[in-house]
Amino acid sequence: MAYPQTTFPHTHFSSPSFISRRRDVVYSTTLLYQLNVLKSTGRYDAFKLKWHPSYHDKPDVWPVPNHLFWDSDVAKWIEGACYFLQREENPHIDVAVRELVAMIRSAQQTDGYLNIHFTVVEPSKRFTNLRDLHELYNAGHLIEAALAHSQCYGDDSLMEPILKYVDLLCLTFGPTPEQKHGYPGHPEIELALLRLYAKNKNPKHLALAEYFIAERGNPTGQDGRHYYDVEAEARGDREHERPVYYPKSRSYCYQQAHEPIVEQQTIEGHAVRAMYLLTAVADLRLWKNMTEKKMYLTGGIGAQKQWEGFGIDYFLPSGTDEGGCYAETCAAIGVMMLAERLLQLDLDGKYADIMELCFYNAVMTGMASNGKQFTYINQLASSDSDLSRRAEWFTCACCPPNVTRLLGYIGGYLWSFRTDENEKSAAVDIHMYSSATLSIPVGDSVVEIEQSSNWPWEGKIEFAIRNPAEVATTIKLRIPGWAATWQISPDLPNAQPDKGYISLPPDWLNAHPNFHLEIPLLPRFISPHPYTNQNIVALARGPIVYCVEDVDNPWVDDHFKNLLLDPSCSVTERTMSTSTSEVGESYIGLTAHNAASHLLGDSGQLAPHVPFNSSPRVQQPGIEQLYFIPYALRDNRGGKGHMRVGIRRKQ
Amino acid sequence: MAYPQTTFPHTHFSSPSFISRRRDVVYSTTLLYQLNVLKSTGRYDAFKLKWHPSYHDKPDVWPVPNHLFWDSDVAKWIEGACYFLQREENPHIDVAVRELVAMIRSAQQTDGYLNIHFTVVEPSKRFTNLRDLHELYNAGHLIEAALAHSQCYGDDSLMEPILKYVDLLCLTFGPTPEQKHGYPGHPEIELALLRLYAKNKNPKHLALAEYFIAERGNPTGQDGRHYYDVEAEARGDREHERPVYYPKSRSYCYQQAHEPIVEQQTIEGHAVRAMYLLTAVADLRLWKNMTEKKMYLTGGIGAQKQWEGFGIDYFLPSGTDEGGCYAETCAAIGVMMLAERLLQLDLDGKYADIMELCFYNAVMTGMASNGKQFTYINQLASSDSDLSRRAEWFTCACCPPNVTRLLGYIGGYLWSFRTDENEKSAAVDIHMYSSATLSIPVGDSVVEIEQSSNWPWEGKIEFAIRNPAEVATTIKLRIPGWAATWQISPDLPNAQPDKGYISLPPDWLNAHPNFHLEIPLLPRFISPHPYTNQNIVALARGPIVYCVEDVDNPWVDDHFKNLLLDPSCSVTERTMSTSTSEVGESYIGLTAHNAASHLLGDSGQLAPHVPFNSSPRVQQPGIEQLYFIPYALRDNRGGKGHMRVGIRRKQ
């Protein structure tokens, strides 16, 4: 299977679209903004292996030192930078990448070991706490950085030390008695090793990835016991000593290590870890459990703050004051990574629907329109304790560079393709719409597929195929599951989607190199599953999920908690131009007319009972116009931070 | 303030009623059943201070030894037995009480110390873990047993050793530098000491109670630090070593010790601890937070299993599969204890409404009709993992003897009274209805007030006052908050409830020594507050909250999770006779006609979205008759354990 991180250079974004605008912001602003933060916080120079004053800090989340992720912060920035440098040169970014690579090379120990914390702060504690301390997670991100770097620069200056480090890992971990039978507390290196194997075909790398995956959760892996138990005992941990993210002792589901992955029936624990692990194993069973029972309307996952992860089935409150809502940006990026793997295994629009849902909502909400503020947690409703606000940075800064690198290779998500040089054929599956051109070399020829649209705001996508006569090209076009109708012009006889994709055969494409697909984007009401006990409705239009914000509805003083919405109302669209919207994007807002009212306060006289009253307990007059904007564009215009996606349904 | 544990002998239950039938079951069966369990489990002989094999057991809930509560199990049984022995002799029970008292006397150490675990198992660890180890909680229950015993037997054979133990506690705990500045992790001794003080007027006992209350949560109480921190450090605990009931380190809100009680704004932590503490301090602010935002429809409190206590405001899921529901029997008994205290301070029917709600629902559901099975957790909906089932006993057996002792002195909750011997007057506030006679000595006279009713099944209560001419008697009759109408006959001119009570002045009573109150008991639908996100309706009738059970609705296979109920339906009553009902009580069942249907399953094709559909997503045909029975009477007739109180409301 090809990887989007490898195939994205085949895609060239053309006329402005939502995606290309976000990429422009990242390249013009975010990469340099994040570089400055790396420098000002000490991360940039950390591979020089000098002591930084913050290394003395008490951990925010014991036993995890605050700086433990610095290796990965740097690695993710390099990875993202290298993706963008392949698009266009930038001397400032180039210099930084070269300097960082030199520092990383210089940081390598003689045996190949490469890690900031365990070289500078606790050199004697290497590989003694795989469960909590992100050592192998950092290694995974270094591998991904090296892959991006070698693809961009065409040299091995970063790959060389990383391969040397991987050699050490291959010696250290494995099934022989002398090796440690451990695996990372935070999966990531597995998918990185699989990508490394795809590039270099070194079977050692595949074997280590498979070992980490298969050994995970083995109840008798080390000396007849769970590796994490043996490891903890060796550290001198006590039975009831546990990190705050463990609801009880031995909560190994936090790391998806409570049982072997093949035996797990429901998706549990830390959401990002789960996604990174499943991306490596492309597990379908748990995908189904996740999307049907543990995913928010926005594509966000993870209701529980304590372990940054999944609650029980259907436990999906909208915000802190209702029981939680985490929906970490990185987790939604992880869902996209997993969806992309599943699409490669089984072309089914369900995966692409979720991939697109996550991108336009749970992921894109994670960065401000100016490219300089970010979220980590993405609640579906604000509260006094958690306003709808982005931040400039985080102590644990996994999310901002993750958005950067995703946008760097997002072209790889738009479509996937296969070619057969002998048969002179190409097959392209188009998953997401935008304005971009895909160039596919087939032998000496190049097939070009250009799509032009103002997606996701407008539903008409024009296609132009530049297909050499000798290449038989087949295209599959995704028809989103939410699309009530769609039309291809010129007419495609007997067109019926198969698992969400319409097939355009070579003959038809030769006859119609210019065609268009039209998917009417109409506002629609959506709800979560009734088992969530969220009697709410939300507005969506195409892949975009909407929210209400106080900027447009300034009367709000309760985070829209008492708002009642009648979903039988009329909803109109309004085009918000760039100049007035201040979100760097001309977008479609929605207005619900005469649809909203307020819940009447209960006196509490008969509490805990509220007497049932057949007439709606609503306050008159209602709200004539209730204004919605895309959830991803929230908190770009100031305001007081009141926001809500799902609104209480009027009975 | 008089205590119901002291005043109950003034009440004599007369013709059969729900309450007297429960009392009969306890006296004829439960007390002896529990005595046998005490004997078979080792509890009965434990004060002989011999080693019991179970003392070796690993704690179910570290660090709390399973047998740690044995002192209180025995004490609560003695207390309950003494209440019942005051009603009627029972040689078998009398012998056991005498034997237990002798064992307790023999168990006392020379310095007065009296505790099984810390004498037999860990004698060197006395008073080293007040936070977790129930040492003072056990002492509190011994005090309460001694009070009941001396009232019943008229001797000090139990009170004597207990007072000696209390003397030791008064020496050990207090404000002087030599004393420990600690307080119990589980409140109980505070209310016991206040009752002891009410009896003996020893200021040392009042001072110790006040010290425990005021010192609680002091951030600088011991050596400038929190007592529990100092205590833990002295034990050698590590910072991140914590019991499973602590969601994080230093979760002192579990014990309501996170800040001084007067500074606490919301009710938090372990529900039983909170109630026992608040009963001692009779706190109104936290009562309001609890009843309006943290109480179930049944009067149950505590949503969170991990700490057996309160969740955030309005977090009240119905069962395990929806996020939790604990509603421990002891906690509901604690609510009654607190409500009774508040009623004495401020005669307001709101407190009596909750007291009665708890009694008939959250408490009475805790014991089977046969008096030999009990619940600890009382969920409002069953699930496959937690069926609606009672158990024969528990390792931590706080609840069964708590029901026993409550029913022993329940007469003290029916009414409260004050007399003035000089003025020759009596004032009686009637909080709960049943069939019983209250005898109040006023000087040489006795005022008798008799109420006769089939409450809670029928709403007509007949009163007969036998009032000596020279005593001016005033009665206040509670009109429940849920009563839409009521009538007193003969007519009482200008009768208007003042805070839920109708006042019957002496003149009127002299003219009408026989009168009746009629409160029509009509089925009514109730809901929890909308903020709970529980879009459910439940049926109530009078103080009784109803549920659906599979015995009457045998088609159910999903715990009624997909059931939809239309609250505009017609509801009829059906009288269930003793012979057919097998619940030891002739009671009123309810039937909802043509009101129920099933939610249509969602295919999940567009998950996580469910497309909004204006037509109800219900399956036809519906259910012609849906049968309800009182929640307190669930699980008395076999069946498969499917039960639900609040049913999803049909849109």
Side-chain angles (χ1 to χ4, degrees):
Chain A
M1 295 195 296
Y3 286 95
Q5 293 93 335
T6 311
T7 61
F8 78 90
H10 293 276
T11 296
H12 173 74
F13 285 91
S14 43
S15 59
S17 66
F18 179 92
I19 295 177
S20 63
R21 284 189 202 98
R22 293 286 109 162
R23 284 169 49 82
D24 288 347
V25 166
V26 169
Y27 205 37
S28 67
T29 304
T30 309
L31 269 171
L32 292 167
Y33 173 83
Q34 293 183 346
L35 178 60
N36 283 336
V37 177
L38 292 182
K39 288 181 174 172
S40 66
T41 58
R43 287 164 167 86
Y44 188 83
D45 289 323
F47 276 107
K48 287 181 180 164
L49 305 183
K50 295 191 178 139
W51 187 271
H52 189 276
S54 72
Y55 295 170
H56 283 299
D57 292 351
K58 190 169 178 175
D60 289 353
V61 182
W62 179 87
V64 186
N66 295 345
H67 60 274
L68 194 74
F69 320 92
W70 282 15
D71 314 57
S72 68
D73 294 339
V74 168
K76 281 152 89 175
W77 186 87
I78 294 174
E79 184 187 345
C82 287
Y83 295 147
F84 278 101
L85 285 171
Q86 287 177 75
R87 161 186 159 181
E88 188 185 331
E89 290 184 4
N90 181 318
H92 197 64
I93 291 173
D94 171 62
V95 164
V97 170
R98 291 175 190 276
E99 200 165 42
L100 284 168
V101 167
M103 285 191 274
I104 291 171
R105 290 178 64 90
S106 73
Q108 187 157 45
Q109 305 299 293
T110 51
D111 63 351
Y113 190 75
L114 191 46
N115 180 289
I116 298 165
H117 176 81
F118 290 103
T119 305
V120 179
V121 184
E122 295 192 293
S124 65
K125 300 254 174 102
R126 266 192 206 181
F127 303 133
T128 60
N129 191 347
L130 299 183
R131 191 189 76 181
D132 298 306
L133 293 187
H134 294 74
E135 210 166 359
L136 294 171
Y137 165 88
N138 282 330
H141 276 300
L142 284 170
I143 295 168
E144 293 209 277
L147 286 164
H149 180 270
S150 68
Q151 181 168 312
C152 178
Y153 282 84
D155 70 46
D156 282 349
S157 55
L158 183 54
M159 185 58 86
E160 186 194 36
I162 300 309
L163 287 177
K164 195 173 163 194
Y165 185 22
V166 172
D167 283 344
L168 175 66
L169 299 178
C170 288
L171 281 174
T172 307
F173 298 97
T176 71
E178 309 78 47
Q179 289 175 303
K180 286 178 185 288
H181 304 168
Y183 39 86
H186 196 316
E188 150 63 24
I189 194 170
E190 297 86 345
L191 67 89
L193 286 167
L194 290 173
R195 286 184 50 213
L196 190 63
Y197 172 72
K199 179 172 190 286
N200 295 335
K201 303 294 180 202
N202 184 335
K204 283 202 313 183
H205 301 163
L206 177 62
L208 185 59
E210 288 178 340
Y211 181 77
F212 282 150
I213 291 167
E215 188 61 22
R216 187 170 208 86
N218 183 346
T220 56
Q222 186 77 40
D223 310 331
R225 297 163 61 201
H226 195 289
Y227 183 84
Y228 291 160
D229 286 340
V230 175
E231 188 194 58
E233 190 175 286
R235 285 194 304 269
D237 282 11
R238 292 190 191 166
E239 185 182 353
H240 301 282
E241 201 169 22
R242 58 194 157 109
V244 71
Y245 42 81
Y246 270 28
K248 54 183 180 177
S249 289
R250 305 184 76 253
S251 295
Y252 296 155
C253 60
Y254 175 73
Q255 287 102 345
Q256 296 82 41
H258 51 305
E259 54 190 359
I261 179 75
V262 294
E263 293 171 20
Q264 296 177 25
Q265 299 300 322
T266 54
I267 194 151
E268 304 293 343
H270 189 275
V272 179
R273 294 170 202 242
M275 289 306 96
Y276 287 11
L277 176 63
L278 293 189
T279 296
V281 301
D283 186 285
L284 176 59
R285 292 168 309 124
L286 301 180
W287 168 272
K288 192 170 152 67
N289 174 242
M290 174 176 75
T291 56
E292 294 185 4
K293 301 181 182 178
K294 300 193 179 189
M295 181 173 272
Y296 282 98
L297 292 176
T298 57
I301 54 173
Q304 298 284 5
K305 182 174 183 175
Q306 186 182 5
W307 54 90
E308 300 184 306
F310 299 102
I312 59 171
D313 285 353
Y314 300 111
F315 185 78
L316 293 166
S318 288
T320 301
D321 63 345
E322 298 179 21
C325 178
Y326 209 71
E328 183 180 339
T329 307
C330 282
I333 291 172
V335 175
M336 291 183 67
M337 290 160 50
L338 172 57
E340 193 278 336
R341 292 291 84 190
L342 294 173
L343 268 176
Q344 298 261 358
L345 288 171
D346 172 23
L347 187 70
D348 188 324
K350 281 194 297 186
Y351 308 125
D353 285 352
I354 298 280
M355 188 169 83
E356 189 180 47
L357 176 73
C358 286
F359 177 71
Y360 281 109
N361 302 286
V363 176
M364 280 300 99
T365 201
M367 185 173 76
S369 58
N370 66 13
K372 294 194 282 192
Q373 278 119 38
F374 310 91
T375 58
Y376 190 113
I377 301 167
N378 299 293
Q379 300 199 327
L380 272 68
S382 60
S383 57
D384 285 347
S385 63
D386 288 294
L387 296 171
S388 174
R389 286 266 186 270
R390 296 192 185 83
E392 296 188 350
W393 198 249
F394 306 97
T395 301
C396 172
C398 48
C399 298
N402 225 351
V403 174
T404 301
R405 66 178 190 142
L406 171 76
L407 283 165
Y409 74 94
I410 188 69
Y413 283 98
L414 292 194
W415 25 38
S416 35
F417 59 89
R418 297 163 301 287
T419 59
D420 185 323
E421 306 233 341
N422 298 325
E423 301 278 334
K424 292 279 183 199
S425 70
V428 182
D429 308 326
I430 306 188
H431 312 302
M432 285 171 65
Y433 300 118
S434 184
S435 283
T437 302
L438 176 69
S439 304
I440 313 171
V442 186
D444 298 332
S445 314
V446 172
V447 174
E448 283 196 342
I449 300 175
E450 182 177 359
Q451 56 164 308
S452 305
S453 73
N454 188 24
W455 193 270
W457 311 121
E458 295 174 44
K460 182 173 182 183
I461 311 111
E462 296 184 337
F463 292 89
I465 315 297
R466 289 177 285 278
N467 192 43
E470 69 274 18
V471 181
T473 300
T474 304
I475 291 179
K476 290 190 175 181
L477 288 181
R478 167 174 160 253
I479 305 297
W482 42 259
T485 62
W486 51 273
Q487 192 172 22
I488 293 173
S489 302
D491 185 50
L492 176 72
N494 303 318
Q496 275 300 327
D498 177 20
K499 296 197 332 191
Y501 285 81
I502 292 282
S503 191
L504 309 178
D507 290 351
W508 190 88
L509 285 173
N510 281 336
H512 308 295
N514 293 286
F515 63 94
H516 72 258
L517 167 65
E518 177 127 26
I519 301 172
L521 302 181
L522 302 172
R524 66 186 190 280
F525 281 104
I526 53 175
S527 290
H529 193 285
Y531 283 1
T532 60
N533 287 336
Q534 297 281 312
N535 189 33
I536 54 177
V537 286
L539 266 173
R541 181 181 178 277
I544 300 287
V545 175
Y546 283 74
C547 70
V548 284
E549 255 198 333
D550 63 86
V551 173
D552 307 298
N553 305 282
W555 43 265
V556 67
D557 60 3
D558 66 349
H559 306 272
F560 305 97
K561 198 174 173 74
N562 286 302
L563 197 64
L564 294 169
L565 185 61
D566 180 352
S568 66
C569 69
S570 79
V571 177
T572 56
E573 301 182 356
R574 64 201 161 109
T575 300
M576 311 292 282
S577 70
T578 314
S579 60
T580 59
S581 70
E582 300 172 24
V583 301
E585 176 96 15
S586 176
Y587 66 91
I588 304 289
L590 298 176
T591 308
H593 297 273
N594 298 309
S597 45
H598 291 289
L599 197 64
L600 258 191
D602 176 59
S603 69
Q605 190 63 30
L606 293 178
H609 298 170
V610 173
F612 175 78
N613 189 334
S614 58
S615 66
R617 300 169 49 260
V618 297
Q619 201 166 36
Q620 296 301 345
I623 294 145
E624 287 183 24
Q625 269 94 34
L626 184 66
Y627 298 103
F628 292 76
I629 69 154
Y631 174 67
L633 302 182
R634 69 186 165 109
D635 189 32
N636 278 321
R637 303 170 296 163
K640 52 192 183 187
H642 289 220
M643 184 277 304
R644 186 170 295 260
V645 171
I647 298 173
R648 199 180 296 275
R649 184 177 161 189
K650 193 171 172 179
Q651 298 284 347
Chain B
M1 294 196 294
Y3 287 94
Q5 293 93 338
T6 310
T7 61
F8 78 90
H10 292 276
T11 296
H12 173 73
F13 285 92
S14 43
S15 58
S17 66
F18 179 92
I19 294 177
S20 63
R21 285 189 202 96
R22 292 288 110 162
R23 283 169 49 85
D24 288 347
V25 166
V26 169
Y27 204 37
S28 68
T29 304
T30 309
L31 268 172
L32 292 166
Y33 173 83
Q34 293 183 346
L35 178 60
N36 283 337
V37 177
L38 293 183
K39 288 181 174 172
S40 65
T41 57
R43 287 165 167 85
Y44 188 83
D45 289 323
F47 275 108
K48 287 183 179 163
L49 304 183
K50 294 192 178 139
W51 187 270
H52 189 276
S54 72
Y55 294 170
H56 283 300
D57 292 351
K58 192 170 175 176
D60 290 353
V61 181
W62 179 86
V64 186
N66 295 345
H67 60 274
L68 194 74
F69 320 93
W70 283 14
D71 315 55
S72 67
D73 294 339
V74 168
K76 281 152 87 175
W77 186 86
I78 294 173
E79 185 187 344
C82 289
Y83 294 147
F84 278 101
L85 285 172
Q86 288 177 74
R87 161 187 159 180
E88 187 186 332
E89 289 185 8
N90 180 318
H92 197 64
I93 292 172
D94 170 62
V95 164
V97 170
R98 291 177 189 276
E99 199 165 41
L100 284 168
V101 168
M103 285 191 275
I104 292 171
R105 290 178 64 90
S106 73
Q108 186 157 45
Q109 305 298 294
T110 50
D111 62 352
Y113 190 75
L114 192 45
N115 180 288
I116 297 165
H117 176 80
F118 290 103
T119 305
V120 179
V121 184
E122 295 192 293
S124 65
K125 300 255 174 101
R126 266 191 207 182
F127 303 132
T128 60
N129 191 347
L130 299 182
R131 191 189 76 181
D132 297 307
L133 294 187
H134 294 73
E135 210 167 358
L136 294 170
Y137 166 86
N138 282 329
H141 276 300
L142 284 171
I143 294 168
E144 293 209 277
L147 285 165
H149 180 272
S150 68
Q151 181 169 311
C152 177
Y153 282 83
D155 70 47
D156 282 349
S157 56
L158 183 54
M159 185 57 85
E160 184 193 37
I162 300 310
L163 286 178
K164 194 172 165 196
Y165 185 22
V166 172
D167 283 345
L168 175 65
L169 299 178
C170 289
L171 280 175
T172 307
F173 297 98
T176 72
E178 310 77 46
Q179 289 173 301
K180 287 179 185 286
H181 304 168
Y183 41 85
H186 197 315
E188 149 64 23
I189 195 170
E190 297 86 345
L191 67 89
L193 286 167
L194 290 174
R195 285 184 49 214
L196 190 63
Y197 172 71
K199 178 171 189 287
N200 294 335
K201 303 294 180 202
N202 184 333
K204 281 200 316 183
H205 301 161
L206 177 63
L208 185 59
E210 288 179 340
Y211 182 77
F212 282 150
I213 292 167
E215 188 62 21
R216 187 170 207 86
N218 183 347
T220 56
Q222 186 76 40
D223 310 331
R225 297 162 61 202
H226 195 289
Y227 183 83
Y228 291 159
D229 287 340
V230 174
E231 187 194 58
E233 191 175 285
R235 285 194 304 269
D237 283 10
R238 292 188 191 169
E239 185 181 353
H240 300 284
E241 201 169 21
R242 59 195 155 109
V244 71
Y245 43 80
Y246 269 30
K248 56 183 180 178
S249 290
R250 306 185 75 251
S251 294
Y252 297 155
C253 59
Y254 175 73
Q255 288 101 346
Q256 295 81 42
H258 51 305
E259 54 190 0
I261 179 74
V262 293
E263 293 172 20
Q264 296 177 27
Q265 299 299 322
T266 55
I267 194 152
E268 304 294 343
H270 189 276
V272 180
R273 294 170 203 240
M275 288 307 95
Y276 286 11
L277 175 63
L278 293 190
T279 295
V281 300
D283 187 286
L284 176 60
R285 292 168 311 123
L286 301 180
W287 167 272
K288 190 170 153 68
N289 174 242
M290 175 176 75
T291 55
E292 294 186 4
K293 302 182 181 176
K294 299 193 178 188
M295 179 174 272
Y296 282 99
L297 292 176
T298 57
I301 54 172
Q304 299 283 4
K305 182 175 183 172
Q306 186 181 4
W307 54 90
E308 301 184 305
F310 298 102
I312 60 171
D313 285 352
Y314 300 110
F315 185 78
L316 293 166
S318 287
T320 301
D321 63 346
E322 298 180 21
C325 179
Y326 208 71
E328 184 181 338
T329 308
C330 282
I333 290 171
V335 175
M336 289 183 66
M337 289 160 49
L338 172 55
E340 193 278 335
R341 292 290 84 191
L342 293 173
L343 268 176
Q344 298 260 359
L345 287 171
D346 173 23
L347 187 71
D348 189 325
K350 282 195 295 186
Y351 308 126
D353 286 352
I354 298 279
M355 188 170 83
E356 188 180 47
L357 176 75
C358 285
F359 177 72
Y360 281 109
N361 302 285
V363 174
M364 281 298 99
T365 202
M367 185 173 77
S369 59
N370 66 12
K372 294 194 280 192
Q373 279 119 37
F374 309 91
T375 59
Y376 191 112
I377 301 167
N378 299 291
Q379 299 200 327
L380 272 68
S382 60
S383 58
D384 285 347
S385 63
D386 288 293
L387 296 172
S388 175
R389 286 265 186 273
R390 295 193 185 83
E392 295 187 351
W393 198 250
F394 306 96
T395 302
C396 172
C398 48
C399 298
N402 225 351
V403 174
T404 302
R405 67 177 189 140
L406 172 76
L407 282 166
Y409 75 94
I410 188 68
Y413 283 97
L414 293 194
W415 26 38
S416 35
F417 59 90
R418 298 163 300 288
T419 58
D420 186 322
E421 307 233 342
N422 298 325
E423 301 278 334
K424 293 280 181 197
S425 70
V428 181
D429 307 326
I430 306 186
H431 312 303
M432 285 171 65
Y433 300 117
S434 185
S435 284
T437 303
L438 176 68
S439 304
I440 313 170
V442 186
D444 299 330
S445 316
V446 173
V447 174
E448 282 194 341
I449 300 175
E450 182 176 0
Q451 55 163 310
S452 306
S453 73
N454 188 26
W455 193 270
W457 312 122
E458 295 174 45
K460 182 173 180 181
I461 310 111
E462 296 184 339
F463 293 88
I465 314 296
R466 288 178 284 282
N467 193 41
E470 70 274 20
V471 180
T473 299
T474 304
I475 292 180
K476 290 191 176 183
L477 288 181
R478 167 174 159 255
I479 306 297
W482 43 260
T485 62
W486 51 272
Q487 192 171 22
I488 292 174
S489 302
D491 186 49
L492 176 72
N494 303 317
Q496 275 301 327
D498 176 19
K499 297 199 325 192
Y501 285 81
I502 292 282
S503 191
L504 308 179
D507 290 350
W508 190 88
L509 285 172
N510 282 336
H512 308 293
N514 292 285
F515 64 95
H516 72 258
L517 168 65
E518 177 127 28
I519 302 173
L521 301 181
L522 302 171
R524 66 186 191 279
F525 282 104
I526 53 174
S527 291
H529 193 283
Y531 283 0
T532 60
N533 286 337
Q534 298 279 314
N535 189 33
I536 55 178
V537 286
L539 267 174
R541 182 180 177 277
I544 300 287
V545 175
Y546 283 73
C547 69
V548 285
E549 254 197 334
D550 64 84
V551 173
D552 308 296
N553 307 282
W555 44 264
V556 68
D557 60 2
D558 66 349
H559 306 273
F560 305 96
K561 196 175 174 71
N562 286 302
L563 196 64
L564 294 170
L565 185 62
D566 181 352
S568 65
C569 69
S570 78
V571 176
T572 57
E573 301 182 357
R574 64 202 162 109
T575 300
M576 311 291 284
S577 71
T578 313
S579 60
T580 60
S581 70
E582 299 172 24
V583 300
E585 176 96 13
S586 177
Y587 67 90
I588 304 290
L590 299 176
T591 308
H593 297 271
N594 298 309
S597 46
H598 291 290
L599 199 63
L600 258 191
D602 176 59
S603 69
Q605 190 64 30
L606 294 178
H609 297 170
V610 173
F612 175 78
N613 189 334
S614 57
S615 67
R617 298 169 50 260
V618 297
Q619 203 166 34
Q620 296 301 343
I623 295 144
E624 285 182 28
Q625 269 93 34
L626 185 65
Y627 298 103
F628 292 76
I629 68 154
Y631 174 68
L633 302 182
R634 69 187 167 108
D635 189 32
N636 278 320
R637 303 169 296 163
K640 53 192 181 185
H642 289 221
M643 183 280 302
R644 187 169 294 263
V645 171
I647 299 173
R648 199 179 295 277
R649 183 177 163 190
K650 192 170 172 180
Q651 297 284 346

